Amino acid sequence: MKFMKLGTRPDTFYTEEATRTVISDAPTDLIIKINNITYLIHKLQFPLLPNCGLLQRLCSNNADKISIELHDIPGGDEAFELCAKFCYGITINLSAHNFVSAFCAAKFLQMSEESTANGNFIAKLETFFLSCILAGWKDTIVALRSAVGLSEWSDNLGITRKCIDSIVEKILTPPPKVTWSYTYTRPGYNKKTHRSVPKDWWTEDIADLDVDLFRCIIVAISSTCMLPPPLIGEALHVYACRWLPDISAQSNSVKNRQILETLISLIPPDQESISVSFSLRLLSLANLLGASSVTKTEVIMRCSALLEEATVSDLLFASHSASNDDGGDEHCHDVDLVVAVLESFLMAWRRQSPAADENAQLLISIRKVGKLIDSYLQVVARDRTMPVAKMIYLAEALPEVARPNHDDVYKAINIFLKEHPYLSKADKKRLCRVLNCQKLSADVRAHAVKNERLPLRTVVQVLFFEQEKGNSKTSSRVAAASDELRSRPDEKLRRSASTRSRHKVAEADKDEMNTKHSLESRRNP
């Protein structure tokens, strides 16, 4: 970081309670009050008045001792003291950290060349700003960051615009020509072993800026069309990681929501500009922070366009809802988020072609999403507080063409039944209606006919499908399954396989109670 040293005299300011003064034989004749600090200084013994046009006018009545209040000086008492020390010739060190406050205070005090012919404070500060601060990368970032508390002055004096222009110019510099120091802490990256400058070398440093300044920089960069959209997206991702890490509902929601909505508004329209993982995280944050419906809709559409690229881990977010559909117990996973994205995907998928299931590319797309959702269901099924209604809704949301086989959805249902042993018979039936037993593989059907967790209707459907195939391989499996059913402790299931084989699947589904009554009568004549 660059520094500028001015003055040669030692620091003779000292403090007594809330009063600051200069050690001198001459009596003080000027009182300046700034907030809770009082300065006792000299009007003419040191060139304070000659260097400050404002003080010259305020002290024009020639009184022996004058008291002035400067509560509105930008930068407060610290910035004023820098200006006072410059006038006293006391050594001061200027850097990007204190430049903005010193410059704004000097402008306020009118320390221009018109007040003195010996090179006043403003001229020296301007030289330092142009030749040192703007010439450096991190110095410009620091100066711009320090301008936030003095934004009105910084904007009016052109400091903000000049810093932003300098930053944008450096970002647009081809990486091989980057010679200045920057921050880059990606895991596995070592500057000593990487000779080339990474394309996203600038993202971490600008992530330190206030969101409004960050927005100005990103807008300026995007308007040039010189950087690829994924590079802009990476900058947004780094900023989100910097300012929105693992936030909760108790966080500063207003500030966080502003940051989130700003980031979403800055996403380039190109589909590949941000990853599906990042898109889904933004959606989760939008739900948590109560973002506007317009913002949520925008993110949902972006997530749905990338859904087939997602993995199960990308979909796993903690639920933010206070209660579920089955009585108010909290559940772990935010299934509503996945449902919203899936519904948006299906809406767009159906819009692409009147016969989307006949288009090879669209068929591949929907089946990738179907595989993803069924794998996701297997994970959330392990949540013992997951409402069965949400499991059913998400499982049924996929069109039939999305599942060339039903093995994965069967696994999800089996896991759910195992983790929810007290599920009602009605809920079990509702859940298992999702299954198309004709789309189960031979191994899964063999498991299903022995699965005591399944409702009778589902087992009967599997058995009849096995028998209708009528080949030697399935006959032995059916016989074994029939023996297994006879041995079940449940009275409903102690029926012979031959009796079940005389009924059609539709009859078992519509008239199960009549079948049970008939069997009971036969057993007890």
Side-chain angles (χ1 to χ4, degrees), residues 203-393:
T203 54
E204 288 187 40
D205 286 321
I206 69 168
D208 286 337
L209 295 171
D210 177 81
V211 66
D212 291 329
L213 295 173
F214 177 81
R215 180 187 58 79
C216 290
I217 291 173
I218 295 298
V219 168
I221 295 170
S222 301
S223 66
T224 66
C225 299
M226 293 177 63
L227 297 183
L231 195 51
I232 303 295
E234 176 63 13
L236 302 180
H237 181 259
V238 171
Y239 197 88
C241 292
R242 169 71 173 79
W243 293 98
L244 302 173
D246 303 323
I247 61 176
S248 65
Q250 287 73 39
S251 305
N252 185 349
S253 296
V254 176
K255 179 65 175 178
N256 288 333
R257 184 165 59 247
Q258 179 195 5
I259 292 174
L260 175 68
E261 294 185 342
T262 299
L263 292 179
I264 292 172
S265 70
L266 292 173
I267 300 174
D270 309 68
Q271 183 172 315
E272 73 279 6
S273 59
I274 63 173
S275 68
V276 62
S277 176
F278 183 39
S279 299
L280 289 164
R281 180 166 178 252
L282 291 177
L283 177 56
S284 178
L285 290 172
N287 290 334
L288 173 62
L289 298 173
S292 67
S293 57
V294 174
T295 298
K296 290 182 183 179
T297 301
E298 182 180 346
V299 183
I300 288 173
M301 292 179 63
R302 182 171 289 276
C303 291
S304 65
L306 301 168
L307 184 58
E308 62 184 279
E309 301 174 12
T311 64
V312 173
S313 60
D314 293 333
L315 302 178
L316 298 178
F317 292 97
S319 173
H320 305 312
S321 60
S323 62
N324 62 32
D325 300 333
D326 286 354
D329 294 329
E330 293 185 3
H331 52 280
C332 299
H333 300 286
D334 191 351
V335 180
D336 295 334
L337 179 150
V338 178
V339 168
V341 174
L342 178 60
E343 288 177 342
S344 177
F345 171 85
L346 292 174
M347 188 180 301
W349 178 79
R350 293 187 178 102
R351 251 196 327 260
Q352 291 183 66
S353 171
D357 55 348
E358 298 177 5
N359 182 296
Q361 190 59 43
L362 294 178
L363 189 60
I364 292 173
S365 175
I366 191 65
R367 287 186 172 176
K368 286 176 68 176
V369 170
K371 182 75 172 177
L372 172 68
I373 296 301
D374 286 348
S375 298
Y376 174 77
L377 286 170
Q378 293 175 43
V379 175
V380 299
R382 292 179 170 85
D383 176 8
R384 294 190 176 184
T385 61
M386 180 58 61
V388 65
K390 291 194 176 185
M391 282 287 296
I392 294 171
Y393 187 86

Side-chain angles (χ1 to χ4, degrees), residues 76-87:
D77 59 283
E78 292 182 0
F80 170 78
E81 192 163 314
L82 283 174
C83 297
K85 286 180 177 179
F86 170 79
C87 297

Side-chain angles (χ1 to χ4, degrees), residues 453-519:
R453 301 186 188 98
L454 296 177
L456 175 64
R457 170 183 175 276
T458 304
V459 178
V460 170
Q461 285 181 328
V462 176
L463 272 172
F464 277 117
F465 178 70
E466 286 280 78
Q467 289 183 326
E468 286 175 0
K469 292 183 64 110
N471 55 49
S472 58
K473 290 183 179 180
T474 60
S475 296
S476 60
R477 189 181 298 114
V478 170
S482 299
D483 293 339
E484 180 73 18
L485 284 173
R486 291 191 194 97
S487 66
R488 289 192 180 185
D490 191 336
E491 187 177 355
K492 289 193 309 178
L493 302 177
R494 290 201 299 265
R495 290 182 278 179
S496 68
S498 60
T499 300
R500 286 195 296 273
S501 64
R502 289 196 297 267
H503 292 276
K504 297 180 181 179
V505 175
E507 292 172 345
D509 188 28
K510 296 178 181 178
D511 203 20
E512 184 178 344
M513 295 302 297
N514 290 337
T515 302
K516 289 200 304 180
H517 178 71
S518 176
L519 288 174

